[in-house]
Amino acid sequence: MNLKKVLLVFLLLLAMFLVACSGDSGEEAGGTDTGEDSGNEETGSDDGGEEADSGEVVELDFWTFWGSETRKPIIEKIIEDFNNSQDEIHVKHTHLPWGDIWTKNLAAVAAGDPPDVIINDINSVKQRAVNNQVENITQYLDDGMESEYYPELWNAGVYEDEVYALPFNTDTRILYWNKDMFEEAGLDPDQPPTTWAEVEEYAQQLDEKNGDRFNTIGFLPNYGIGQDVWMMNATGHGFWDFEAGEPTLYNEKAVEALNWVRDYESRYGLNVIQGFEADFGNQQSNPFVAGKLGMAIHTPTGLYTQLRDYGQDVDFGVAPTPEMEEGNGHTTWGGGFVAEVPYGAKDPEASVEFIKYLTGPEAQEYWAVMNFDNVANIAGAEAAAQSDELTEKGQEVYQLAVDNMEHTILTPFPVEAPDMMSLVDPELEKFRLGEQSAEEALQNAQEAVKDLAESTE
Amino acid sequence: MGIFNKNYYESVKVQKRISNSIILILLLLGSILLLSPIWWMFATSVKNMQEIMTYPPTFWPNEWNWSNYADTLEAAPFIRYTFNTLFLTGFAVFANTLSNSFIAYGFAKIRFKGREVLFAILLATMMLPAFVTMIPHYVMFAKLGWLNTYLPLIIPQFFGGAFFVFLLRQFFRTIPNELMEAAKIDGASHLYIWARIILPLSKPAIATVAIFTFNGAWNDFIGPLLYLNDESLYTLQIGLQVFKGQVSTQWNYLMAGSLMVLLPVIILFFIFQRYFIEGMNLTAGSKG
Amino acid sequence: MDKKKMLPKKRVLTLEQKEGLQGYIFISPWLFGLVTFMAGPLLFSLFASFTNYNITSRMDFIGLDNYIRMFTNDSLFWISLGNTLYFVAFSVPLTTIGAVLISVLMNQKVPGMRIFRTIYYLPAVLSGVGVYLLWMQLLSPNTGLINTILSWVGIQGPAWLFDPNWTKPAIIFMSLWKVGGSMLLYLASMQGVPQSLYEAAEMDGANPFRRFWHITLPMITPIIFFDVVTSTIGGFQVFQEAYVMTESGDGGPANSLVFFNLHMWNKAFEVFDMGYAMGMSWVLFVIIFILTFINLKLAPRWVHYEGGK
């Protein structure tokens, strides 16, 4: 009995075991498949098998994170409509959890076996383009497609004049005000504030104190948005100059914005603000819906649907984000998602065919109305605002959301410094906690981001 | 430590009774502390979304919507997911208890050249964060053609894990060598000693490994998510994620689902506990 | 022990060889797994740490650049290392002591103990994002359960996750809640303590505290050792808490929750600078390895093995 023999025997046993095991679990997988079919309404996968037999149909795997009760049926209806509209491509929907979907996609791209279409973050398209994670789809697009989408959204999918993704949905920020509370405070319930000064003035009248504790607060600048949005609102631009390839953080108006937010908050004190943030920072209850906040800046889609579903008795109005001072502009901020073809997908042309449908006016209107979500296709969005499916209030909010797109800027991550905000946020935080002035914060941030951009050259 | 200083009671029985009731009170207080978060989960699970959205949050639900549990079960094919998860978990428990105790015996009770170095390497495999090897692992399993099967989740379990090998090695080393020496003189092989002496004496430790493995496999999320594409192969933890959205989370369903997923683990633990009592007598008897 | 083995005269070599071979057979499953499944990805990550590997398209050798950048030009690297050390320094001793104390209570013969054990183990079973979101509610300064309870005894609780000074204590507090896992280990290990030792001590009039100190504690040192080593390793890898409990995983107020692995994760999966992240992971590896090595060297002074070496 020598060492080699023993090892050999062991390896043989192991190999046998591996073979046996792979057979086993393959059967297991198949077994559960057939065993449970009758009891479940699995979508996509079952009919996919039948059509694949015809040989010419391209089967596309489409990954989204829309698995919830509300969103899943809507996206699957769109897919079904697409599948029925032609007979060359068949799309199968796979929903994966929010966040993890992109980790899985990345691994799949690395292994060379990605899905055919995926919904991904709009701000990081350029980054994925530079890192070869997404297909260049310029050649498959039609002339003039650019004009179908809001320019800020379209541009986010472009890197060095090549298109890598088409925008699907987006969001913006608008002002909500509680009409009943306005009336109680002696304000005109139909007259929202339009400038920062007015916001401050109205808010003070809306504050209601009970001893040391606030029953209701008129407005908090850091709820729903952050100080970064106030900076953009003041300066009218984002934090990166894509032409010059450098940060544009330090700016007098930005300093003013930071100071305004700080001064505003200091009237309440850190305790009140932190407590407030914590109570409502967990996505569960919303202070505006709960009648604890007189005015709020929020997305049209997110807060409206909450008010519609859980806040029936709140009488509210909507208006554009206030401006720094008259004539400065109502600039506000948005994000969104794109549909793209992961790098290495088997048939990019077919994938783009589906993406065109997905971001086309018909599907976009359907998505917009059913989800009450801002969409990227202009025609689709404008049609949705007129839709009879929406209530009068719904139409009003949606129309404002559509109109607000001209004030909405996006802040895609620059490829030179994709994680620039991880350097900016700590500086702003230090300012917020009183450890440095606004000038210092922005200058430090500007320098740090510049260094980062240079070091990644 | 206060409970240990009560020996000024003359009668041992009285002393026992008093210390027992102090222990009971401590345990009860601790239980309340530990269970209150779980109560919160439970309360959320029976609320409707409107109540969840109210401020301030209610500790005692205004309305008990037991139908949330039925709705949760309908949202995804949870029965299939349960079978899938049980299959994977069963394999994991079997493979881990077997292989880890085998490997640990080698490290604990046999002297061989390079043992210390190899043991250090074993420990070292725990020290790199899993997510830096996640992509290479994925690519490797893709090359093997194992994607969308259970193989990447099952096979590696048979080769032992540093955590459990280390744990069992520690347990095995507390077992007196005299027990082995006697068997050796009778001509017993290491295999025999492992199977007939060490394993029976280590029931609490093996039970611990089984419970931990069960837990780990039952709750594993990122593994199944990465390697499985077919919804018919999904596990419970993936199924639960349908309630978690980008903008709105269906809290009540998420909590109801989480609690239901928890139930089998609790039952299993309750049953497995008897090994914690059995082991005691064996070792006590042997030590004499 | 050594001398005993050397005693047989003639076949001393063959016996040792045989014994050694058997040792290798016992650990062969692990060796096989190491070579086939683990070594590849591990060595790959070591190599990639000297490149600008971005997962999907790029892998050029850049020497020590990643390491130099880490040490000289990444303030978050040091902040994250500091935060992680803070977490390890408090959570490891606290959870170890907590687990030992609870398991002593759990080892008493009191009616209903099976139920108590289940309750204490329960938090360790709960996993997933739901638990962390749950804790965000419990830790809410105004309406959270924890500050509500504190207010009953007249303490005004801190803002926890919103106050940079209290974020890490909050996370440590959470890890204490989940101490049931290690409790189980100690409980299992206490089953191995011969009852006869306790009986003898009781006859000698040793009080419960002395019985714990002189009998129970030495007998469970191997598991304490295990617990300290593994929870140190685990503590350095704290990630999920900060990832889920801070807004978009950014590391909380004033970077107070930017743990090493969170920073690494962001580098790897947000910026796709995987080479850099792998470099970070090897720095972490070296730190943990040194600490573990110290632990291993100190162990013989306090860890008591009934079965000898």
Side-chain angles (χ1 to χ4, degrees):
Chain A
M1 208 51 172
N2 62 19
L3 191 70
K4 271 183 193 162
K5 261 187 196 163
V6 173
L7 266 175
L8 201 73
V9 169
F10 174 74
L11 283 176
L12 266 173
L13 279 173
L14 199 96
M16 278 166 63
F17 167 76
L18 285 179
V19 171
C21 217
S22 61
D24 258 19
S25 87
E27 264 169 38
E28 172 65 29
T32 36
D33 235 340
T34 44
E36 291 272 331
D37 259 356
S38 49
N40 283 298
E41 313 160 284
E42 285 294 308
T43 42
S45 56
D46 297 80
D47 39 352
E50 288 157 30
E51 277 184 55
D53 292 337
S54 64
E56 292 177 20
V57 178
V58 182
E59 177 94 11
L60 297 184
D61 196 5
F62 174 38
W63 287 7
T64 77
F65 48 86
W66 296 315
S68 73
E69 236 179 18
T70 42
R71 298 210 157 180
K72 195 176 172 191
I74 300 168
I75 190 64
E76 287 185 349
K77 171 76 169 62
I78 292 175
I79 294 168
E80 198 191 320
D81 287 348
F82 174 75
N83 286 342
N84 292 335
S85 73
Q86 41 73 51
D87 47 16
E88 279 152 15
I89 302 167
H90 185 274
V91 178
K92 167 183 168 280
H93 177 222
T94 304
H95 71 82
L96 292 157
W98 162 257
D100 308 295
I101 179 175
W102 300 306
T103 312
K104 186 172 160 102
N105 180 50
L106 190 63
V109 170
D113 184 28
D116 298 290
V117 181
I118 189 170
I119 298 293
N120 214 324
D121 176 31
I122 199 167
N123 287 318
S124 46
V125 180
K126 294 172 203 288
Q127 226 182 309
R128 285 192 297 280
V130 113
N131 288 316
N132 268 7
Q133 292 173 14
V134 59
E135 292 279 349
N136 180 343
I137 55 171
T138 319
Q139 54 172 314
Y140 310 114
L141 299 178
D142 312 326
D143 290 336
M145 270 188 90
E146 187 177 344
S147 60
E148 283 184 39
Y149 309 96
Y150 293 105
E152 279 281 309
L153 303 176
W154 172 271
N155 288 337
V158 177
Y159 176 66
E160 292 189 338
D161 298 327
E162 303 284 322
V163 183
Y164 289 86
L166 292 184
F168 182 81
N169 61 349
T170 180
D171 60 12
T172 178
R173 304 291 181 281
I174 57 174
L175 176 83
Y176 289 75
W177 80 94
N178 185 320
K179 290 187 173 176
D180 294 336
M181 282 166 70
F182 264 53
E183 199 144 13
E184 273 170 44
L187 293 162
D188 181 352
D190 295 316
Q191 211 37 254
T194 60
T195 62
W196 292 7
E198 279 177 16
V199 168
E200 215 167 341
E201 184 195 324
Y202 290 17
Q204 277 172 341
Q205 294 191 49
L206 290 163
D207 281 345
E208 201 189 297
K209 238 178 160 179
N210 182 5
D212 275 344
R213 277 183 76 108
F214 279 88
N215 264 349
T216 58
I217 291 181
F219 179 77
L220 284 178
N222 267 319
Y223 182 77
I225 54 172
Q227 44 197 1
D228 48 345
V229 178
W230 290 108
M231 283 159 65
M232 288 184 241
N233 179 273
T235 61
H237 59 71
F239 303 143
W240 187 265
D241 183 340
F242 282 88
E243 301 281 304
E246 51 177 43
T248 53
L249 283 151
Y250 181 71
N251 179 303
E252 264 175 43
K253 278 189 173 174
V255 171
E256 217 177 304
L258 285 180
N259 283 327
W260 180 73
V261 172
R262 199 247 340 252
D263 293 345
Y264 191 112
E265 287 198 322
S266 63
R267 280 211 316 272
Y268 295 90
L270 207 56
N271 280 345
V272 173
I273 307 262
Q274 282 176 342
F276 192 87
E277 274 179 356
D279 287 341
F280 297 109
N282 55 23
Q283 297 181 40
Q284 286 206 3
S285 42
N286 181 297
F288 189 81
V289 181
K292 295 273 150 196
L293 198 57
M295 298 178 282
I297 291 179
H298 211 287
T299 59
T301 48
L303 189 49
Y304 170 72
T305 46
Q306 277 194 35
L307 284 161
R308 182 190 63 193
D309 300 342
Y310 312 120
Q312 280 97 338
D313 32 0
V314 179
D315 186 12
F316 65 93
V318 286
T321 307
E323 52 188 345
M324 190 179 194
E325 58 212 6
E326 228 179 302
N328 195 60
H330 296 272
T331 310
T332 188
W333 174 78
F337 295 94
V338 294
E340 65 186 28
V341 186
Y343 192 80
K346 59 178 180 287
D347 190 344
E349 189 171 5
S351 298
V352 173
E353 231 15 75
F354 172 61
I355 292 179
K356 281 183 199 164
Y357 182 83
L358 198 64
T359 61
E362 195 187 329
Q364 291 265 290
E365 184 192 341
Y366 182 73
W367 176 271
V369 171
M370 299 305 283
N371 268 327
F372 202 85
D373 196 15
N374 274 30
V375 289
N377 187 294
I378 299 172
E382 279 170 356
Q386 310 292 322
S387 171
D388 300 332
E389 300 269 332
L390 300 180
T391 62
E392 211 174 302
K393 195 82 202 174
Q395 286 183 351
E396 182 197 332
V397 177
Y398 203 92
Q399 187 62 51
L400 177 68
V402 169
D403 297 341
N404 214 44
M405 286 311 291
E406 69 172 293
H407 305 300
T408 307
I409 56 173
L410 257 69
T411 51
F413 308 140
V415 294
E416 298 91 335
D419 53 347
M420 62 181 274
M421 289 318 279
S422 74
L423 296 175
V424 178
D425 288 336
E427 297 294 343
L428 295 183
E429 190 72 37
K430 269 190 231 161
F431 158 71
R432 203 182 164 198
L433 296 171
E435 289 165 24
Q436 63 183 359
S437 74
E439 277 94 348
E440 285 168 333
L442 289 180
Q443 269 164 354
N444 290 346
Q446 175 90 11
E447 284 309 308
V449 173
K450 234 178 170 169
D451 282 354
L452 174 70
E454 275 157 20
S455 77
T456 53
E457 281 292 300
Chain B
M1 287 291 181
I3 50 157
F4 298 108
N5 298 325
K6 300 288 178 195
N7 68 338
Y8 28 80
Y9 292 93
E10 278 132 47
S11 155
V12 179
K13 270 186 186 171
V14 171
Q15 183 191 334
K16 258 250 147 72
R17 213 170 280 166
I18 286 173
S19 75
N20 269 1
S21 26
I22 291 169
I23 289 168
L24 257 179
I25 289 167
L26 274 176
L27 288 177
L28 272 173
L29 280 175
S31 303
I32 293 169
L33 217 70
L34 289 172
L35 283 180
S36 48
I38 292 164
W39 165 260
W40 187 254
M41 277 179 94
F42 173 71
T44 308
S45 77
V46 294
K47 289 178 185 174
N48 57 31
M49 278 307 281
Q50 202 155 345
E51 190 176 344
I52 290 171
M53 291 292 180
T54 55
Y55 177 89
T58 45
F59 286 89
W60 189 263
N62 293 332
E63 217 182 285
W64 298 69
N65 300 285
W66 294 106
S67 57
N68 283 353
Y69 281 80
D71 294 345
T72 305
L73 287 175
E74 273 170 25
F78 276 111
I79 294 178
R80 176 185 293 185
Y81 292 173
T82 308
F83 278 111
N84 291 344
T85 314
L86 277 173
F87 174 77
L88 280 173
T89 310
F91 243 108
V93 170
F94 168 72
N96 271 295
T97 45
L98 186 74
S99 68
N100 287 310
S101 65
F102 195 72
I103 300 162
Y105 178 85
F107 277 118
K109 292 292 184 193
I110 307 177
R111 313 193 106 239
F112 55 87
K113 251 192 186 164
R115 186 174 78 167
E116 303 309 315
V117 175
L118 284 171
F119 188 70
I121 293 174
L122 175 96
L123 287 183
T125 58
M126 276 199 284
M127 296 174 195
L128 264 199
F131 60 73
V132 297
T133 51
M134 184 169 81
I135 302 271
H137 265 132
Y138 184 92
V139 173
M140 185 173 78
F141 289 130
K143 294 244 159 79
L144 286 171
W146 285 8
L147 294 188
N148 208 23
T149 72
Y150 287 149
L151 292 175
L153 304 171
I154 292 175
I155 299 302
Q157 313 261 6
F158 281 93
F159 305 120
F163 184 85
F164 292 129
V165 171
F166 184 20
L167 174 64
L168 288 172
R169 169 193 180 258
Q170 294 303 95
F171 272 108
F172 292 169
R173 284 182 72 174
T174 61
I175 296 172
N177 277 355
E178 291 80 33
L179 294 170
M180 295 169 55
E181 300 297 335
K184 265 190 190 166
I185 289 163
D186 293 343
S189 67
H190 275 301
L191 196 66
Y192 181 90
I193 296 172
W194 169 70
R196 290 299 161 90
I197 299 176
I198 300 294
L199 285 189
L201 284 178
S202 317
K203 275 185 188 164
I206 304 285
T208 310
V209 172
I211 290 172
F212 278 14
T213 316
F214 187 94
N215 248 349
W218 189 259
N219 288 331
D220 186 14
F221 165 65
I222 195 73
L225 183 81
L226 273 182
Y227 296 119
L228 305 175
N229 291 322
D230 222 323
E231 277 183 43
S232 61
L233 297 178
Y234 277 8
T235 60
L236 283 170
Q237 288 294 338
I238 301 181
L240 273 183
Q241 301 293 322
V242 301
F243 304 119
K244 198 186 103 199
Q246 165 219 350
V247 273
S248 59
T249 296
Q250 288 153 306
W251 293 100
N252 39 8
Y253 297 161
L254 181 69
M255 294 301 177
S258 303
L259 285 174
M260 281 191 281
V261 167
L262 190 63
L263 211 61
V265 189
I266 299 173
I267 293 170
L268 187 99
F269 179 74
F270 198 77
I271 297 166
F272 258 71
Q273 272 194 59
R274 91 194 152 87
Y275 292 106
F276 286 78
I277 293 150
E278 243 177 43
M280 178 157 56
N281 303 329
L282 275 167
T283 332
S286 63
K287 174 83 190 178
Chain C
M1 202 61 240
D2 276 86
K3 280 166 201 155
K4 233 190 222 171
K5 279 247 158 106
M6 302 300 258
L7 273 177
K9 287 140 230 161
K10 268 198 221 159
R11 298 190 303 159
V12 68
L13 264 174
T14 47
L15 252 183
E16 240 176 44
Q17 273 181 340
K18 255 191 178 174
E19 184 83 355
L21 183 61
Q22 295 218 43
Y24 275 94
I25 290 173
F26 269 89
I27 67 162
S28 61
W30 172 72
L31 276 176
F32 182 82
L34 179 75
V35 172
T36 52
F37 290 114
M38 270 184 280
L42 286 179
L43 293 176
F44 176 83
S45 76
L46 180 61
F47 172 71
S49 74
F50 299 104
T51 71
N52 61 0
Y53 177 54
N54 71 345
I55 303 174
T56 40
S57 65
R58 198 179 59 196
M59 197 167 180
D60 313 314
F61 190 78
I62 54 167
L64 289 171
D65 271 17
N66 285 331
Y67 293 95
I68 294 168
R69 195 144 56 94
M70 217 176 289
F71 289 114
T72 60
N73 199 18
D74 182 359
S75 56
L76 276 183
F77 171 83
W78 296 108
I79 294 172
S80 67
L81 192 58
N83 285 339
T84 309
L85 282 171
Y86 180 115
F87 177 78
V88 173
F90 284 96
S91 75
V92 172
L94 283 175
T95 51
T96 307
I97 294 168
V100 172
L101 291 182
I102 291 175
S103 53
V104 169
L105 283 183
M106 289 289 142
N107 206 26
Q108 307 297 316
K109 288 192 193 103
V110 172
M113 190 48 87
R114 284 178 81 175
I115 294 169
F116 281 124
R117 284 176 178 177
T118 310
I119 289 173
Y120 278 68
Y121 181 59
L122 208 73
V125 187
L126 279 167
S127 81
V129 176
V131 181
Y132 300 121
L133 296 171
L134 172 80
W135 270 90
M136 288 170 74
Q137 285 207 328
L138 299 175
L139 290 166
S140 170
N142 290 344
T143 57
L145 191 63
I146 294 182
N147 278 2
T148 308
I149 291 172
L150 286 176
S151 73
W152 291 342
V153 286
I155 300 169
Q156 209 212 324
W160 297 112
L161 294 171
F162 294 83
D163 182 341
N165 296 317
W166 283 97
T167 45
K168 282 184 284 284
I171 303 277
I172 293 165
F173 196 70
M174 249 182 83
S175 65
L176 270 173
W177 182 61
K178 304 191 83 145
V179 90
S182 344
M183 170 202 88
L184 208 59
L185 295 176
Y186 292 117
L187 210 49
S189 139
M190 284 176 193
Q191 308 312 312
V193 183
Q195 204 60 28
S196 50
L197 289 182
Y198 288 124
E199 280 153 18
E202 212 161 343
M203 298 236 184
D204 294 344
N207 66 29
F209 180 74
R210 287 179 63 92
R211 291 207 293 269
F212 168 77
W213 194 253
H214 292 291
I215 301 172
T216 313
L217 201 56
M219 296 294 276
I220 62 171
T221 47
I223 297 304
I224 297 181
F225 173 63
F226 169 83
D227 193 20
V228 169
V229 169
T230 54
S231 58
T232 305
I233 295 175
F236 271 102
Q237 303 191 10
V238 58
F239 167 69
Q240 192 96 37
E241 287 85 346
Y243 185 63
V244 179
M245 293 172 77
T246 68
E247 204 178 328
S248 59
D250 67 359
N255 289 330
S256 56
L257 287 180
V258 179
F259 291 121
F260 200 84
N261 269 17
L262 184 69
H263 186 42
M264 203 193 305
W265 171 273
N266 287 335
K267 283 286 179 196
F269 293 103
E270 301 292 325
V271 197
F272 311 121
D273 199 349
M274 195 54 145
Y276 187 83
M278 285 171 165
M280 282 184 73
S281 75
W282 280 93
V283 171
L284 185 71
F285 175 87
V286 169
I287 297 171
I288 302 178
F289 194 87
I290 291 170
L291 282 174
T292 308
F293 189 77
I294 295 171
N295 257 329
L296 283 169
K297 286 291 151 199
L298 288 178
R301 297 188 183 189
W302 63 277
V303 180
H304 168 81
Y305 293 109
E306 194 71 0
K309 270 209 144 181

